[in-house]
Amino acid sequence: MDAKKYLELCERSHTGEKVTKDEWDMDYIIDTVREIVEDYEFDWDKEVIIPEEDKLFEDMFAAAKRMILETGVYNMSTQRIIKFTEEEIEEGIQNMKTELTMGEGKDAYTLVARKVEDPREPAIWAGNPGCPTPEHLYYPIIKSVAKEPVIDLLTCGSLVDVDGYAVKSGDPTEVIAVRRELQYLHKALAEVGRPGMGLLAAESAVTEAGDLAAASEKHLRPCDSHLVAMFNELIIDNGNLVRAASSLDYGMKNASLACTMVGGLGGDAPGSTVVMIASILAANLICMADYHLCHPIHIQDVATTARGCLWLQAVLCQTFAKKAPAIIVCDLWPSSGALTKELLYEVAANSIVVTVCGGHLEGLGAANGNKPNGTGLEVRLMGEVGKAVARQGMTRKKANEIVLKLLEKYEHVFQMENGNEGVRFDKAYDLDTIEPVAEWQKMYEEVKAELAELGVEF
């Protein structure tokens, strides 16, 4: 999309219908989704995490196109609705990338639009995306991920302090934090001998000021990517429009991000899936997305490993694979944290679902992405499971059987009074060697053996 076309879309933020946020939520989202779900008779079976009915995917895609055409997107900065024409929506679908090269030189990696039950391995986009992390643990965590040979691309958490000062939104500390983040990322990649690896970064950028501060050849390069987010549901703000516009001449890739709330305004899994697909269709235009991040959040369980979130990712990936090939990268945010077997079970289940349904793997945000309780070891498992499942040609039916057994092993964590956050990175890894402690390594080996017994061919 050229600058003139994008500015014309953004101008609708000032000329569109003016409504309050409450009116948007109630009249545009809740009412529209309820009507669509009833019209298409959407429902779901909680024992079928990975549906296989082509009619479901056809109806989901039609429903999402109908939704985005009827609602548009709400700009909460101007309190106006950005509407799209049917022709624009179709053009956005036709222009979705099916190949995208990230990184440079020998470390460049090409993302592709994967198919259902695709034998091509999913990308392993690894890190602890968005997790608030103190500076003294930031580099060790990144290094623990970057050193894993299984990864293809790198992401990271957000710095909560720099040089002893708390990072504040729209403050000089944000600018320093986001540049410090990129310095740590490049240092880690240089140390592991993969300096050209592509990044999804500037995670410490809470506002557009931080994001703009990251865009330079020595920080966030044109061969890297950053987030252009939509808020739930189907909401954007001027800050994210600025983020998208920043890429026009500079060239860095735009990763759309929608965090649809399963059990929220869109209702249960089917309605929320319609909203998430609609968000991606809108992001083709208003976020100028080069690829899409699918990050559902369960209203109670939070984690992407909740049944409703797994179903959403399974249906969304298959819908795009069959109806409109695109690069879909699914976030993994388990509820459990390091030094718990449940974290490994959650990672395996989520990795299997996404891989067999045609998505790529990104993450992972252990402990619901709230604490620095993630390590490189569970990232290793994510990559090993995803690539093994693709190579062996696992069917959706077999994947569903395995995932149901894994749910029995971890679903209890959603009812735990204090959660299952595990331990901080420095309790699970030796900070001198950046290797897992013996107990954590043993858990990984035991769970990997269990997965092999269930049918994952490592």
Side-chain angles (χ1 to χ4, degrees), residues 149-223:
V150 76
I151 79 167
D152 303 300
L153 299 152
L154 189 63
T155 186
C156 59
S158 58
L159 279 161
V160 298
D161 64 280
V162 283
D163 296 333
Y165 294 91
V167 177
K168 303 177 186 67
S169 175
D171 185 81
T173 52
E174 181 183 353
V175 172
I176 293 170
V178 75
R179 290 181 174 169
R180 186 76 52 85
E181 167 195 315
L182 270 299
Q183 290 164 9
Y184 286 138
L185 285 164
H186 288 302
K187 178 183 177 184
L189 290 179
E191 287 197 6
V192 300
R194 304 177 75 181
M197 183 182 286
L199 303 172
L200 169 59
E203 294 278 349
S204 303
V206 181
T207 70
E208 64 275 18
D211 193 76
L212 292 171
S216 75
E217 291 281 357
K218 63 183 290 187
H219 296 111
L220 196 68
R221 305 159 298 183
C223 65

Side-chain angles (χ1 to χ4, degrees), residues 100-112 114 120-127 145-155 189 192 194-200 221 223-224 329 359-363 379-380 382-384 386-387 391:
L100 179 67
T101 299
M102 302 292 305
E104 57 190 3
K106 69 178 181 64
D107 302 312
Y109 181 88
T110 300
L111 291 152
V112 297
R114 296 183 70 245
R120 293 174 296 178
E121 296 177 356
I124 307 304
W125 209 320
V145 174
K147 68 188 293 189
E148 292 293 339
V150 76
I151 79 167
D152 303 300
L153 299 152
L154 189 63
T155 186
L189 290 179
V192 300
R194 304 177 75 181
M197 183 182 286
L199 303 172
L200 169 59
R221 305 159 298 183
C223 65
D224 297 323
V329 183
H360 296 281
L361 300 169
E362 195 257 0
V379 161
R380 182 192 306 172
M382 175 179 76
E384 290 174 335
K387 295 192 176 190
R391 285 195 303 266

Side-chain angles (χ1 to χ4, degrees), residues 43 106 429 445:
D43 198 2
K106 69 178 181 64
Y429 261 61
E445 291 169 358

Side-chain angles (χ1 to χ4, degrees), residues 94-105:
Q94 294 301 317
N95 289 336
M96 287 192 298
K97 291 181 172 63
T98 56
E99 287 192 4
L100 179 67
T101 299
M102 302 292 305
E104 57 190 3

